[in-house]
Amino acid sequence: MLLFLSAPQPRPPGARSRAGAARVARWRRQRLRLQQLRRLRGLLRGLRGRPGAGGRRRGRMALCGQAAGAASLPSELIVHIFSFLPAPDRLRASASCSHWRECLFYPALWPQLRICLRVSPAEQPRLEFLMRKCGWFVRELRVEFAAENYLSGGGGPGDAGDADGGPGGEDVEALQLSTRWLEVLRTYLELVLCVLVSIRNNRNLQKFSLFGDISILQQQGSLSNTYLSKADPDGKTIKQIQQLFEEILSNSRQLKWLSCGFMLEIVTPTSLSSLSNSIANTMEHLSLLDNNIPGNSTLITAVELERFVNLRSLALDFCDFTAEMARVLTDSNHVPLQRLSLLVHNVSVMHKSLDNMPNDEHWKALSRKSTSLRVYVMAFDVKSEDMLKILKPSIPLERIHFDSYITCVSGAIVDLISRQYDKFLTHFILMNDVIDMSGFPDLSDNRNEDPLVLLAWRCTKLSLLAVHGYTVWAHNLIAIARLRGSDLKVLEVTEESIDFDQGELADQDVDPVHNLIEQMNQTGSL
C-alpha cells in the first residue's frame, strides 16, 4: 500500500478573519503580479542569452521565450498595438504569423473603410476578400468606382490591338471601344453587387457612400443606355442590385449619412420608402445624384422629404429640387439646412422642366430659416440661357463648378455670378473639354475688363480659382493674384490656357511661363 502525504497549503494572511478579506484579495493580486514579473524576467534572460552558455540554460531560455513570444500575446494586446499603426503597416505586421493575421480584421481596427476601385476584373477577388472580412461590421463605408484608367490602359477585354489604317479602320476602332465599354459595365455591375451583398445584414452602418465615375455614364459626352441594356439584357442584375440597396436601407438601425452619385439606376424613386421613420427622422446627410432617371421621375418627392426633419446637408439634381421642397425645408419642424448641393445637367434640363424650380422669394425664405446655408452648384454642359434662369439673386452661392463638353460658359454668366454672389462665393471652377482646333474661348472678348479679373475684385472671399480650356491672358492672371493676394489659397490655370501679348514675348529672353511665375511670386499669392 502506498500512502501519499501532502503538506498543508499555507493560508493567506488574514484568511481566518472576515475583516481580512481585503488583505486576501490584495495578496492574490500581488502574487499574480509576481508571477507575471518572473515570466517577463525569464523572457529577458532568454533574449540576453549568449551562444557560449550551457545547453540546459539555453533550453530553459528558449522555453521562456516561446511561452511569452509575439505569437502568444493576447488578441486584445495585438489589436491595441495595431491601433497605433497606419493601414499599410498593419498589413505588413499581420504577415508575422497566423495569430496576428486573425487580429488584423478586428472590428475596432476598421470603423471606417474607403475603397477606390478601377472597374477591372482584377479588382474583384481583392474586393470580395476585403468586403467578406469587413462588410458585416464596418460603420463608415465609402466606395468610389473609376473607369478611366481601365479604358485608357490598353490591353483590356475586347482590346485587339491597334486598328489597321485604311478603309474600315474607324469601324474597327468603334467596335473595339464598344466591346470594351460592354465589359466595363458588366464588371461594374459585378463589383457593385459584391459590395451590396457584403453589407446587407450590417445593422451598425452609419455612413454609406457610393460614387460612380462620370466616364461610366458618359461616352463622348452623352449618356449611353444602350450599353447598359446590352451588358444586362434581361435586367436581372440591375433588379437584384436595386433590391439589395432597398434591403440595406430597411435593415439599417444607425444610418445617418447616405450618398449615392452617378451609380446607374441603383437608386429608384421607391428606394427611400424602405427607410423606417425613425432612421429618416435622424438622417443628417442625403445625397442622390443620378441624372439617368427617365422622364419626369424624381428620386425624392416633397412628401418624402418631410420625414427627413434632421437634415443638415442635401444634394439633389437641380430639376428635382422644386419650390415645394424649398417650402418643406423652411418648416419649423425641420432643423436649419447647412449645405445644399445641386447638379445641373443638360440631359436633365432637356427632359425635365424648370418651371417648378424655386423662385427668388423661396430662396429668401430658405435663407431666413437657415442663416448659415451655403449652396454648391455643379453645371455640366448647361446653356447660358438656362443658367440665367437658374441663378436667382438670393441663392447663397458659395461654390460653382462649370464643366463643358459641348457648350462653353459665356463671359456674361461669369459677370453675373461676380455681381450677385460677391458676399458668398469662395470657389470658382471653370473647365472646358470641348475639342476645338481654333483655340480656347476668350471670356474677355469685346469687353473692357476681363470677367475673371472682375470676379477676383468683387468676390472678397474667393479662395480658389481654377481655369482650364479658356484663354487667360498673363497680365490678367497677375492682376487676379494682386487683387486677392494671400487670401487666394489656390490659383490653378493650365499652361495651355495662358496666353501672352506679342510685346511680352518679343521682349523676353527667358521662358515667358517662368517669368510669369516669378511675377506671381512677387505678389505674394504663390
Side-chain angles (χ1 to χ4, degrees):
M1 175 182 295
L2 297 177
L3 179 63
F4 292 94
L5 299 177
S6 60
Q9 296 294 328
R11 291 179 178 272
R16 294 179 180 274
S17 173
R18 298 180 62 182
R23 290 194 297 272
V24 172
R26 187 165 53 254
W27 179 81
R28 289 175 177 172
R29 286 196 299 269
Q30 292 175 353
R31 184 179 179 185
L32 180 60
R33 288 198 194 100
L34 182 60
Q35 292 175 353
Q36 292 175 346
L37 182 60
R38 288 174 178 171
R39 185 181 302 174
L40 180 60
R41 190 176 300 168
L43 175 61
L44 293 176
R45 281 199 299 265
L47 294 176
R48 294 171 183 170
R50 296 186 300 272
R56 180 180 300 177
R57 183 179 178 185
R58 285 198 301 269
R60 184 168 61 251
M61 288 188 296
L63 181 61
C64 293
Q66 183 180 3
S72 62
L73 292 177
S75 300
E76 292 79 5
L77 182 56
I78 298 175
V79 171
H80 183 66
I81 295 173
F82 279 175
S83 65
F84 294 97
L85 301 177
D89 292 340
R90 289 181 200 168
L91 295 174
R92 282 190 285 267
S94 66
S96 302
C97 60
S98 59
H99 181 44
W100 283 44
R101 264 194 310 274
E102 293 174 357
C103 299
L104 175 63
F105 292 103
Y106 194 81
L109 295 174
W110 303 95
Q112 303 175 0
L113 189 61
R114 179 170 181 172
I115 307 173
C116 297
L117 295 171
R118 292 185 306 111
V119 182
S120 168
E123 296 281 4
Q124 189 165 356
R126 288 175 287 196
L127 178 64
E128 290 178 351
F129 171 79
L130 187 60
M131 296 308 300
R132 185 173 63 252
K133 291 289 187 179
C134 302
W136 61 277
F137 63 77
V138 65
R139 294 180 179 273
E140 299 180 13
L141 176 62
R142 178 187 176 99
V143 184
E144 300 178 9
F145 299 90
E148 290 180 337
N149 295 335
Y150 176 59
L151 284 175
S152 61
D159 189 2
D162 295 335
D164 295 330
E170 295 182 357
D171 295 337
V172 174
E173 185 178 357
L175 179 61
Q176 290 178 353
L177 181 61
S178 174
T179 305
R180 293 172 66 188
W181 266 101
L182 287 176
E183 187 63 27
V184 164
L185 290 178
R186 292 191 186 100
T187 306
Y188 162 78
L189 294 176
E190 292 175 359
L191 294 178
V192 174
L193 195 62
C194 173
V195 172
L196 298 183
V197 167
S198 64
I199 62 172
R200 64 191 304 178
N201 296 319
N202 186 346
R203 295 175 179 265
N204 296 322
L205 194 63
Q206 297 177 2
K207 290 187 177 181
F208 183 36
S209 302
L210 290 174
F211 293 98
D213 196 293
I214 191 66
S215 63
I216 298 178
L217 292 175
Q218 296 185 341
Q219 182 188 10
Q220 298 176 354
S222 61
L223 292 177
S224 180
N225 293 325
T226 306
Y227 288 112
L228 187 59
S229 61
K230 291 181 179 178
D232 186 27
D234 52 6
K236 290 184 178 179
T237 304
I238 293 180
K239 185 67 174 178
Q240 185 181 2
I241 288 174
Q242 293 173 352
Q243 291 176 350
L244 281 171
F245 186 77
E246 294 180 0
E247 184 179 350
I248 292 170
L249 297 186
S250 62
N251 290 336
S252 62
R253 295 295 180 269
Q254 303 182 37
L255 192 64
K256 295 184 181 299
W257 181 292
L258 178 62
S259 182
C260 189
F262 309 111
M263 290 301 296
L264 284 177
E265 300 181 355
I266 287 182
V267 185
T268 66
T270 61
S271 296
L272 292 182
S273 60
S274 303
L275 283 172
S276 63
N277 288 331
S278 59
I279 296 299
N281 292 339
T282 58
M283 188 81 72
E284 297 180 358
H285 173 85
L286 180 63
S287 176
L288 302 175
L289 299 175
D290 189 355
N291 56 323
N292 206 30
I293 300 299
N296 293 323
S297 301
T298 59
L299 297 178
I300 183 172
T301 62
V303 176
E304 187 71 32
L305 187 62
E306 292 178 354
R307 297 200 300 157
F308 296 84
V309 296
N310 204 42
L311 274 184
R312 265 75 170 178
S313 176
L314 177 64
L316 293 175
D317 189 285
F318 182 84
C319 294
D320 293 344
F321 187 69
T322 62
E324 184 63 20
M325 284 189 177
R327 186 199 62 77
V328 169
L329 293 174
T330 58
D331 289 344
S332 58
N333 60 332
H334 280 255
V335 300
L337 194 65
Q338 298 177 1
R339 169 73 64 183
L340 178 60
S341 302
L342 299 172
L343 172 67
V344 189
H345 200 288
N346 67 321
V347 175
S348 297
V349 174
M350 286 190 303
H351 293 90
K352 298 179 182 180
S353 174
L354 294 175
D355 297 337
N356 297 324
M357 67 178 179
N359 56 31
D360 201 50
E361 294 300 323
H362 292 119
W363 284 110
K364 289 180 180 179
L366 186 56
S367 298
R368 286 194 298 267
K369 165 69 177 180
S370 306
T371 55
S372 60
L373 175 64
R374 296 296 179 263
V375 177
Y376 172 29
V377 173
M378 189 171 186
F380 286 99
D381 270 333
V382 184
K383 297 179 181 179
S384 296
E385 53 268 27
D386 292 327
M387 287 303 303
L388 291 174
K389 298 177 183 178
I390 291 170
L391 295 174
K392 303 299 182 184
S394 298
I395 298 178
L397 184 64
E398 183 183 63
R399 305 184 182 191
I400 188 164
H401 182 164
F402 290 100
D403 205 334
S404 302
Y405 295 93
I406 302 173
T407 306
C408 295
V409 177
S410 65
I413 296 297
V414 179
D415 186 66
L416 177 67
I417 292 172
S418 65
R419 291 178 183 275
Q420 293 187 164
Y421 312 115
D422 56 305
K423 296 180 180 179
F424 301 102
L425 192 68
T426 62
H427 290 60
F428 186 84
I429 302 174
L430 196 59
M431 310 293 289
N432 175 28
D433 296 322
V434 178
I435 301 177
D436 187 359
M437 302 305 295
S438 62
F440 293 147
D442 188 355
L443 297 176
S444 61
D445 278 350
N446 302 320
R447 291 178 175 270
N448 295 329
E449 295 291 342
D450 186 276
L452 293 176
V453 176
L454 293 176
L455 182 82
W457 174 53
R458 292 168 178 158
C459 302
T460 57
K461 294 184 178 181
L462 189 67
S463 62
L464 184 148
L465 176 62
V467 181
H468 165 68
Y470 290 86
T471 299
V472 181
W473 293 93
H475 60 272
N476 289 331
L477 202 57
I478 296 173
I480 292 172
R482 288 175 177 172
L483 284 169
R484 293 273 54 88
S486 59
D487 293 335
L488 188 61
K489 305 301 182 183
V490 178
L491 177 57
E492 181 177 329
V493 181
T494 53
E495 184 175 342
E496 57 268 22
S497 300
I498 303 174
D499 206 349
F500 299 88
D501 294 330
Q502 293 298 324
E504 295 176 347
L505 294 175
D507 296 339
Q508 294 175 358
D509 297 330
V510 297
D511 182 14
V513 176
H514 178 74
N515 186 67
L516 175 63
I517 294 175
E518 289 185 351
Q519 295 185 53
M520 300 282 288
N521 284 328
Q522 294 175 2
T523 64
S525 61
L526 295 181

